[in-house]
Amino acid sequence: MKASAPGCPCGLAPVLFLLLAAPPTAATQKNGINIYSLTVDSKVSSRFAHTVVTSRVVNRANIMQEATFQVELPKRAFITNFSMVIGGVTYPGNIKEKAAAQEQYSAAVARGESAGLVKASGRKTEQFQVSVSVAPAAKVTFELVYEELLKRHLGAYELLLKVQPQQLVKHLQMDIHIFEPQGINFLETESTFMTNELADALTVSQNKTKAHIQFKPTLSQQKSPGQEDTVLDGNFIVRYDVHRTVSGGSIQIESGYFVHYFAPEGLPTIPKNVIFVIDKSGSMRGRKIQQTREALIKILDDLSPNDQFNLVSFSGEAAQWKPLLVPASAENVNQARSYAASIQTQGGTNINDAMLMAVQLLDSANQKELLPEGSVSLIILLTDGDPTVGETNPARIQKNVKEAIDGQYSLFCLGFGFDVSFAFLEKLALDNGGLTRRIYEDSDSTLQLQDFYQEVANPLLTAVTFEYPGNAVEKVSRDNFRLLFKGSEIVVAGKLRDQSPDVLSAKVRGQLHMQSITFQTESSVAEQEKEFQSPKYIFHSFMERLWAYLTIQQLLEQMVSASDAEKQALETRALNLSLQYCFVTPLTSMVVTKPEGKEWSEVAEKPVETKNKHRNFYLGGPLSRFRTAGDRRSRITAGPSGKTPSDLWRAGPQGPLNSPHPYPLMAGKSLLPDMLLESAKTASPPGLLPASLRPGPRLVLVSQPALPTLGTTAAVPAPIQAPAVILMLPGQSVDRLCVDIKHSQGPMNLLSDPDQGVEVTAQYETEKAQFSWIEVTFKNPQLQVRAIPEHVVVTRNRRNSGYKWKETLFSVIPGVKLTMDKAGLLLLSSPDRVTIGLLPWDGPGEGLRLLLRDTDRFSSRVGGTLGQFYQDVLWGPPAAADDSKRMLRVQDLEYSATRLLKLDYQEGSPGTEISCWSVEL
């Protein structure tokens, strides 16, 4: 791969690469533009990510065509370089001060010849786009470079690749190289487009400090089954973390610059005092307040017994739940849950009074010495709109809140949706030592709220400061921080002085719950410089660029809450660094000159969070030909199950006739004509009907095989239902056991196997005859999968990931693999574990379903409502009067089993009819 220009590296976090021809349809090649090579090369060196996206296209048409190059990059990333190579001539992007670039841009806009190149495109990404006319048989090479410092979130760094080439590509390759001198603690991958066939194109290699992930699918692997379309349409994610200890962190040095990562393990959590300020104005009605209630209830459950809390709800007026903060005891939490569940929407939005009430609650408790010594006080504000009642001037509200808090407490703001001014909330939070997060209106809004709380739920240190010898370093980035939370990381970077000592030492001071603590660490300059010599994993002067990136980000953040006088100085510093290191930031723009003429230019600018409800917009003007990533909604439909009649009608225990009755019963006798019944007994293997009479996918049940007796009415058969659970019993004469749950109160322990380290619990609603939720918990790795009819939530290390049913998923976590197909079957598997499946069954008897495979791997200690059937099961003989009934004994319990016709849900809807022994619990 062509190396990028020195000084303009790129990042390795969320990236989408997409090249398509206009008009943007799936039939891209029909327009003549063919992508013959598409590569992404990402290098992560000590958390700093550098990504190069390269597309090579050729116009195979005999007329001029337009090619459009699109890349989605992380919002926190800075573009550092872009170029087009056409006919051997390179057309570069030039980074300029925004004002200078705007003059060139405005002139082009006046001629109607250009448009802005970068726009916000999703929660975590921005989209870069450029189009160019391509002559017949001509080739064009596009290359985009960007950089980002990966941020630790709930114990992991995350890299997201959105893959959507829109056509088959002869040479398609992603290479991700990770180098972490501290050592890689864990590495996991996840994809929403990967199939078992594509999995062969993915290779992951890893040693103590390095990892290489490569995805290189062939043309045949890219094809949709039976079609010429590509199946590559979705996300590819890499998550990892590094080894850490209770120490002063890790100091790493390269080319005269250093970076200090600080996230000590094993520290106790500091008790917190938290006030939740909840907007209940009329605009919150409907799903927003419902999701807020659900999230608040879950958050209350997660409070530590050492915490104190209170609730303030507001619309036109503010109201507090309790007059004082209360301990997070079980009784208080239950009362708060009831209060949260009863919150109703109405009226306007009085943010000022609500915030001052929250501050007053903390002030009052402080004055009465009711706040535990050494505890941390937080205010969490959730609102979906601008102030409309009381004080409505944003600047005055910010001033009032800042004066009231007076540096004593930290404020975190959550903006629900796009009707709220993000800039207003951002300044409100940054003025008071917190941060702001947008909550997107979607089905997972509840999870977004819970995840934000998890970020701030466990404070570890307060008043954190970093100290370095004055004769050793200079140009140090921000070195003091109000709070360190569990799962996060503090990063400080700087430059070594020319005559610095051979060993760089550092002290990190902070405040634990009841005492001060000082961490000391040191690093050998020569040894550290030697660490970063491998060219395969390192790009030139990456640590200097890391320092510049971090410094610019911090300067931009400081500008939000700075005075006018301070803001100008901060802006000048940030602008100079942006220009020096070729970063497209909110202060700079990149001018892209097209080959059509020197005066035809386009400008790439860094989008900023806005109040605009419509997320798909351009800062520079409209684009006529544009297709957002994710518009394509092709689906792979599930094929036939592939089962044969003998698979569906396996014989049960030996008896005169072990098949079910596919015809209605009257007075305990089959309505099947006697002659056919006798034929079935004599001509078929035990337990099987003749092939012509076996039920299958096309079987029709009739009610007239024999005329009913005069004066009676023929019974209309009830539709065949899927049981609550189908159990596969290894080593038994009965291979399937259908279980129906008729009695259930509260959560059920379905399965528990301590040797396997797995537990399955569920809530079964007998009135609806379906599971309302099923939860699978693994001990190693610590992983929880919770399924509800709407979606699946996977929780690992307090980090929640939500997935909609029937959207493909392929996730490999050390110890467990999670896969979901287009039919919605989610499988949790491991080479030495029982495979557990979850399915949103929408056939007769709809609801969540559980399935088990590889059940011979259960240990002798398996238990639970369903697990008991994997102990010693003793079958009694068929009943003398009715061979379709018998007893089975499990441990000290006896169950009556009946041979019935049921629907097998395990391959998805519409299901296949099977004969099984059925028991009721």
Side-chain angles (χ1 to χ4, degrees), residues 478-780:
R478 179 182 171 189
D479 59 6
N480 62 88
F481 303 85
R482 183 178 290 197
L483 288 165
L484 171 68
F485 292 101
K486 183 176 181 179
S488 67
E489 181 176 64
I490 295 177
V491 185
V492 178
K495 185 178 186 300
L496 298 181
R497 292 188 182 274
D498 293 338
Q499 304 299 322
S500 64
D502 294 336
V503 175
L504 176 61
S505 61
K507 290 183 179 180
V508 183
R509 304 183 189 275
Q511 184 71 37
L512 293 170
H513 177 202
M514 298 296 289
Q515 65 183 34
S516 299
I517 187 171
T518 299
F519 299 90
Q520 297 193 47
T521 189
E522 59 183 30
S523 187
S524 166
V525 175
E527 289 179 7
Q528 284 293 312
E529 290 277 12
K530 189 177 179 180
E531 282 266 20
F532 295 99
Q533 296 304 313
S534 172
K536 185 176 181 181
Y537 288 85
I538 307 304
F539 50 96
H540 179 66
S541 300
F542 84 92
M543 202 161 287
E544 180 179 355
R545 299 189 61 76
L546 185 160
W547 164 81
Y549 172 95
L550 181 64
T551 303
I552 293 169
Q553 290 280 26
Q554 292 177 350
L555 289 170
L556 294 173
E557 186 177 283
Q558 291 170 33
M559 285 169 57
V560 174
S561 55
S563 64
D564 291 340
E566 296 171 328
K567 188 175 296 185
Q568 185 58 52
L570 294 169
E571 182 176 325
T572 300
R573 283 187 62 199
L575 173 61
N576 290 338
L577 284 173
S578 300
L579 293 172
Q580 180 181 349
Y581 290 93
C582 306
F583 286 135
V584 178
T585 70
L587 305 176
T588 58
S589 300
M590 182 171 67
V591 179
V592 180
T593 302
K594 289 188 174 184
E596 284 85 345
K598 292 184 179 179
E599 294 183 348
W600 192 344
S601 300
E602 294 186 329
V603 174
E605 297 182 346
K606 183 76 175 171
V608 295
E609 284 280 1
T610 73
K611 182 181 174 180
N612 196 317
K613 289 184 285 186
H614 305 288
R615 281 164 277 185
N616 293 331
F617 63 92
Y618 289 88
L619 294 182
L623 271 179
S624 58
R625 297 171 307 281
F626 177 69
R627 183 179 188 280
T628 59
D631 282 350
R632 189 174 179 218
R633 293 183 173 85
S634 60
R635 290 288 181 266
I636 301 173
T637 56
S641 67
K643 289 185 177 293
T644 64
S646 60
D647 291 327
L648 303 177
W649 280 75
R650 292 177 182 166
Q654 295 298 310
L657 181 63
N658 292 314
S659 62
H661 297 283
Y663 288 77
L665 298 176
M666 291 189 66
K669 295 185 178 181
S670 173
L671 293 180
L672 186 66
D674 292 341
M675 179 178 68
L676 293 180
L677 186 58
E678 185 62 28
S679 173
K681 291 181 181 180
T682 59
S684 302
L688 288 180
L689 285 174
S692 61
L693 296 178
R694 296 175 198 162
R698 301 165 68 115
L699 176 69
V700 178
L701 300 183
V702 298
S703 59
Q704 298 176 346
L707 292 175
T709 306
L710 187 64
T712 65
T713 302
V716 177
I720 299 172
Q721 299 287 314
V725 182
I726 297 175
L727 299 180
M728 311 302 289
L729 304 180
Q732 299 283 335
S733 58
V734 178
D735 62 349
R736 288 188 186 91
L737 182 66
C738 294
V739 179
D740 284 306
I741 301 172
K742 299 297 183 180
H743 308 285
S744 173
Q745 291 183 347
M748 304 170 63
N749 178 13
L750 299 182
L751 287 170
S752 180
D753 190 335
D755 292 357
Q756 288 268 302
V758 64
E759 183 178 59
V760 182
T761 56
Q763 178 83 50
Y764 192 82
E765 299 183 26
T766 52
E767 291 183 1
K768 296 182 179 179
Q770 62 180 249
F771 289 106
S772 56
W773 56 264
I774 301 175
E775 194 167 273
V776 183
T777 303
F778 294 95
K779 289 185 178 179
N780 187 24

Side-chain angles (χ1 to χ4, degrees), residues 80-286:
T80 68
N81 193 30
F82 172 75
S83 65
M84 295 182 291
V85 180
I86 306 174
V89 180
T90 300
Y91 299 89
N94 299 306
I95 296 175
K96 301 182 178 182
E97 183 179 355
K98 181 167 287 188
Q102 191 66 34
E103 292 180 13
Q104 185 172 349
Y105 172 73
S106 298
V109 169
R111 296 190 298 273
E113 295 175 336
S114 66
L117 293 179
V118 185
K119 76 177 191 71
S121 63
R123 298 182 187 180
K124 298 180 180 180
T125 57
E126 298 164 354
Q127 186 179 81
F128 173 89
Q129 172 173 299
V130 66
S131 301
V132 64
S133 296
V134 185
K139 294 182 177 180
V140 181
T141 297
F142 299 93
E143 182 177 276
L144 181 73
V145 186
Y146 65 86
E147 294 175 340
E148 182 193 19
L149 178 63
L150 301 184
K151 187 175 182 180
R152 191 168 186 244
H153 172 71
L154 294 175
Y157 307 100
E158 181 177 287
L159 173 149
L160 166 65
L161 301 168
K162 288 190 175 180
V163 184
Q164 195 182 32
Q166 290 291 296
Q167 62 173 255
L168 301 177
V169 181
K170 184 177 181 180
H171 176 221
L172 193 154
Q173 183 170 336
M174 293 191 302
D175 283 284
I176 301 160
H177 294 276
I178 301 173
F179 175 54
E180 291 291 351
Q182 286 178 256
I184 298 172
N185 183 27
F186 72 83
L187 178 75
E188 55 192 52
T189 62
E190 175 183 316
S191 170
T192 60
F193 62 82
M194 197 76 69
T195 62
N196 287 325
E197 292 75 21
L198 274 174
D200 295 334
L202 177 67
T203 58
V204 179
S205 58
Q206 177 186 346
N207 61 24
K208 182 179 178 182
T209 59
K210 298 175 183 177
H212 178 209
I213 300 104
Q214 184 180 78
F215 180 61
K216 190 177 180 180
T218 63
L219 280 171
S220 60
Q221 288 173 320
Q222 296 175 43
K223 288 182 181 179
S224 300
Q227 303 178 31
E228 293 299 311
D229 290 343
T230 178
V231 298
L232 303 183
D233 184 0
N235 298 338
F236 184 81
I237 300 169
V238 177
R239 295 188 186 94
Y240 76 94
D241 198 15
V242 301
H243 290 291
R244 354 183 149 258
T245 59
V246 183
S247 70
S250 172
I251 297 178
Q252 298 166 24
I253 301 167
E254 189 259 347
S255 298
Y257 283 78
F258 78 92
V259 62
H260 188 173
Y261 294 108
F262 181 71
E265 286 289 287
L267 297 181
T269 299
I270 299 175
K272 62 183 180 294
N273 317 296
V274 57
I275 308 289
F276 299 98
V277 183
I278 307 300
D279 185 347
K280 62 171 185 176
S281 61
S283 58
M284 285 283 290
R285 71 171 56 90

Side-chain angles (χ1 to χ4, degrees), residues 693-876:
L693 296 178
R694 296 175 198 162
R698 301 165 68 115
L699 176 69
V700 178
L701 300 183
V702 298
S703 59
Q704 298 176 346
L707 292 175
T709 306
L710 187 64
T712 65
T713 302
V716 177
I720 299 172
Q721 299 287 314
V725 182
I726 297 175
L727 299 180
M728 311 302 289
L729 304 180
Q732 299 283 335
S733 58
V734 178
D735 62 349
R736 288 188 186 91
L737 182 66
C738 294
V739 179
D740 284 306
I741 301 172
K742 299 297 183 180
H743 308 285
S744 173
Q745 291 183 347
M748 304 170 63
N749 178 13
L750 299 182
L751 287 170
S752 180
D753 190 335
D755 292 357
Q756 288 268 302
V758 64
E759 183 178 59
V760 182
T761 56
Q763 178 83 50
Y764 192 82
E765 299 183 26
T766 52
E767 291 183 1
K768 296 182 179 179
Q770 62 180 249
F771 289 106
S772 56
W773 56 264
I774 301 175
E775 194 167 273
V776 183
T777 303
F778 294 95
K779 289 185 178 179
N780 187 24
Q782 291 188 348
L783 180 74
Q784 185 182 84
V785 179
R786 183 180 178 89
I788 61 175
E790 293 77 24
H791 58 250
V792 178
V793 178
V794 179
T795 302
R796 176 160 162 74
N797 296 332
R798 302 179 296 118
R799 187 178 60 251
N800 295 312
S801 300
Y803 307 96
K804 295 179 180 178
W805 290 109
K806 302 184 180 181
E807 292 188 354
T808 53
L809 171 68
F810 194 98
S811 177
V812 180
I813 297 171
V816 179
K817 181 170 75 173
L818 292 81
T819 63
M820 181 158 59
D821 59 22
K822 293 291 185 179
L825 175 58
L826 176 66
L827 292 177
L828 316 175
S829 60
S830 177
D832 55 354
R833 276 197 178 109
V834 174
T835 296
I836 298 173
L838 302 171
L839 182 73
W841 170 253
D842 53 10
E846 64 180 356
L848 294 175
R849 288 295 189 273
L850 173 75
L851 58 93
L852 302 171
R853 297 177 182 172
D854 308 311
T855 53
D856 56 328
R857 296 173 181 169
F858 275 126
S859 75
S860 60
R861 297 203 292 161
V862 64
T865 303
L866 303 179
Q868 63 178 323
F869 293 105
Y870 293 95
Q871 296 284 1
D872 294 330
V873 177
L874 300 177
W875 287 90

